[in-house]
């Protein structure tokens, strides 16, 4: 029976309005962990707070801001009094599958600013508090795209390679403290990710998961929960997680193959 080590902790989860972030919030709530939930869609955050506080004996605070907006993040944290035990840097997205020679500049800016600078902003603002208390855990959601690169994924892959480098360097900067730093690197997870990547084209998004069984958000949430729930001396650095039907970014076995 796994010991519950996060009951009564406070976790800050970015991108909690959907997918992996939302599933992680639900699992943490079930474990009795208080939550600070971030995302831009405030109505979804309010609804999540309502259901989680009704279902579990926890407190939920809302942090409805864009992780790209450093001033908004700074302002929110300046008013936040309770310590943060766990930071899950999950907010992120892909935009488009265009080759480098005809990709949209706006798509690149959105990915770089969210996937890299969002993680930088939140880590820069929250890690000093963890270092000062000499306790805490930062978990970054990377991707298989941070370990390999595929055509049409140039900038998305570059941002996730950056998350990998940043995670490793953050661990080294915090060397000698009890603050833990980890990363989870999933392959195909069926969330709103592909709908966002294909800018609302649901048919193209569905094709990504057609005739194969992808991971679901709960699969990744369980891994995040496992990582944070290790004894305090255990620091898992990274976990690469594929659905069984996937063996690399480009190798996906379909039922009709
Ligand atoms: P979803 O699209 O389902 O969820 C993304 C979340 O990020 C939403 O809650 C969204 O909230 C939030 N978000 C996006 N931009 C911002 C922003 N600027 N500020 C604050 N929140 C933001 O996708 P996933 O759950 O799949 O993605 C979560 C993470 O997992 C991402 O980092 C992604 O790169 C990574 N990942 C996903 C994989 C997949 O196959 N699905 C595989 C590997 C990694 P809102 O729009 O309300 O702001
Ligand atoms: C999302 C998974 O394969 O589209 O990070 O890069 S993939």
């Amino acid at each position: 029976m796994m010991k519950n080590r996060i009951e009564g902790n406070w976790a800050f989860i970015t991108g909690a309005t959907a997918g992996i972030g939302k599933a992680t919030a639900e699992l943490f709530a079930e474990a009795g962990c208080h939550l600070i939930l971030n995302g831009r869609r405030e109505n979804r955050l309010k609804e999540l707070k309502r259901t989680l506080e009704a279902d579990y004996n926890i407190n939920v605070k809302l942090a409805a801001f864009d992780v790209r907006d450093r001033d908004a993040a700074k302002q929110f944290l300046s008013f936040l009094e309770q310590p943060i035990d766990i930071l899950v840097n999950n907010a992120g997205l892909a935009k488009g599958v265009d080759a480098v020679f005809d990709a949209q500049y706006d798509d690149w800016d959105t990915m770089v600013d969210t996937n890299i600078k969002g993680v930088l902003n939140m880590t820069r603002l929250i890690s000093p508090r963890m270092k000062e208390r000499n306790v805490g855990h930062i978990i970054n959601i990377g991707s298989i795209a941070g370990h390999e690169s595929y055509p049409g994924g140039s900038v998305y892959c570059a941002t996730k390679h950056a998350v990998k480098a940043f995670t490793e360097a953050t661990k080294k900067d915090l060397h000698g403290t009890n603050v833990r730093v980890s990363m989870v690197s999933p392959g195909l997870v069926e969330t709103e990710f592909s709908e966002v990547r294909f800018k609302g084209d649901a048919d193209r998004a569905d094709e990504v998961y057609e005739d194969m069984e992808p991971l679901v958000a709960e699969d990744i949430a369980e891994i995040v929960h496992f990582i944070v729930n290790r004894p305090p001396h255990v620091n898992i650095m990274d976990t690469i997680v594929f659905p069984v039907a996937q063996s690399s970014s480009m190798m996906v076995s379909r039922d009709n193959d």
Side-chain angles (χ1 to χ4, degrees), residues 6-246:
I6 66 167
E7 189 175 2
N9 280 190
W10 276 92
F12 194 120
I13 304 175
T14 68
T17 59
I20 295 167
K22 184 172 184 233
T24 303
E26 288 166 347
L27 203 54
F28 279 21
E30 204 180 320
C33 182
H34 305 298
L35 299 167
I36 304 157
L37 301 179
N38 161 265
R40 293 164 301 174
R41 287 169 287 184
E42 195 170 5
N43 283 348
R44 287 196 185 194
L45 291 178
K46 283 182 178 162
E47 177 58 18
L48 194 55
K49 173 181 162 69
R50 201 183 57 71
T51 55
L52 294 180
E53 286 185 337
D55 291 350
Y56 306 104
N57 189 24
I58 59 156
N59 298 309
V60 178
K61 292 186 182 234
L62 301 186
F65 60 81
D66 188 321
V67 291
R68 293 172 292 181
D69 186 343
R70 187 176 296 156
D71 290 338
K74 262 188 195 165
Q75 199 192 4
F76 178 85
L77 284 158
S78 69
F79 289 110
L80 190 73
E81 280 170 8
Q82 85 275 318
I84 298 168
D85 302 289
I86 301 163
L87 166 62
V88 183
N89 277 316
N90 162 77
L93 75 191
K95 283 280 183 191
V97 284
D98 302 310
V100 286
F101 42 80
D102 54 15
Q104 308 291 312
Y105 291 107
D106 283 352
D107 289 347
W108 285 359
D109 288 344
T110 303
M111 288 187 276
V112 168
D113 291 348
T114 310
N115 301 358
I116 305 180
K117 289 170 78 178
V119 173
L120 268 47
N121 288 340
M122 299 314 299
T123 306
R124 176 65 184 87
L125 288 166
I126 292 174
S127 61
R129 299 172 182 222
M130 292 181 168
K131 184 170 178 286
E132 196 181 315
R133 290 172 66 222
N134 198 26
V135 67
H137 201 154
I138 300 167
I139 299 105
N140 297 329
I141 306 300
S143 170
I144 185 56
H147 291 266
E148 39 175 287
S149 305
Y150 54 87
S154 57
V155 171
Y156 180 69
C157 293
T159 66
K160 290 299 183 177
H161 275 70
V163 170
K164 178 174 181 289
F166 185 69
T167 305
E168 291 166 2
T170 304
K171 173 76 180 87
K172 288 167 186 161
D173 281 347
L174 288 163
H175 179 71
T177 75
N178 290 325
V179 180
R180 297 186 284 175
V181 185
S182 306
M183 181 165 83
V184 180
S185 299
L188 290 172
V189 191
E190 188 166 12
T191 59
E192 295 177 8
F193 180 85
S194 291
E195 220 176 300
V196 171
R197 173 169 238 172
F198 293 113
K199 303 171 185 176
D201 185 337
D203 291 339
R204 281 191 83 185
D206 286 348
E207 279 170 22
V208 175
Y209 314 107
E210 212 165 66
D211 298 320
M212 57 89 63
E213 186 175 352
L215 297 169
V216 291
E218 290 73 19
D219 295 324
I220 305 306
E222 284 182 5
I223 291 161
V224 175
H225 176 255
F226 180 83
I227 290 171
V228 297
N229 205 41
R230 292 308 80 221
H233 67 285
V234 178
N235 189 116
I236 295 176
M237 276 309 299
D238 195 3
T239 52
I240 297 180
V241 194
F242 283 131
V244 71
Q246 184 179 19

Side-chain angles (χ1 to χ4, degrees), residues 243-257:
V244 71
Q246 184 179 19
S247 301
S248 77
S249 289
M250 299 300 285
M251 287 178 72
V252 180
S253 169
R254 312 269 172 192
D255 292 343
N256 53 2
D257 282 349

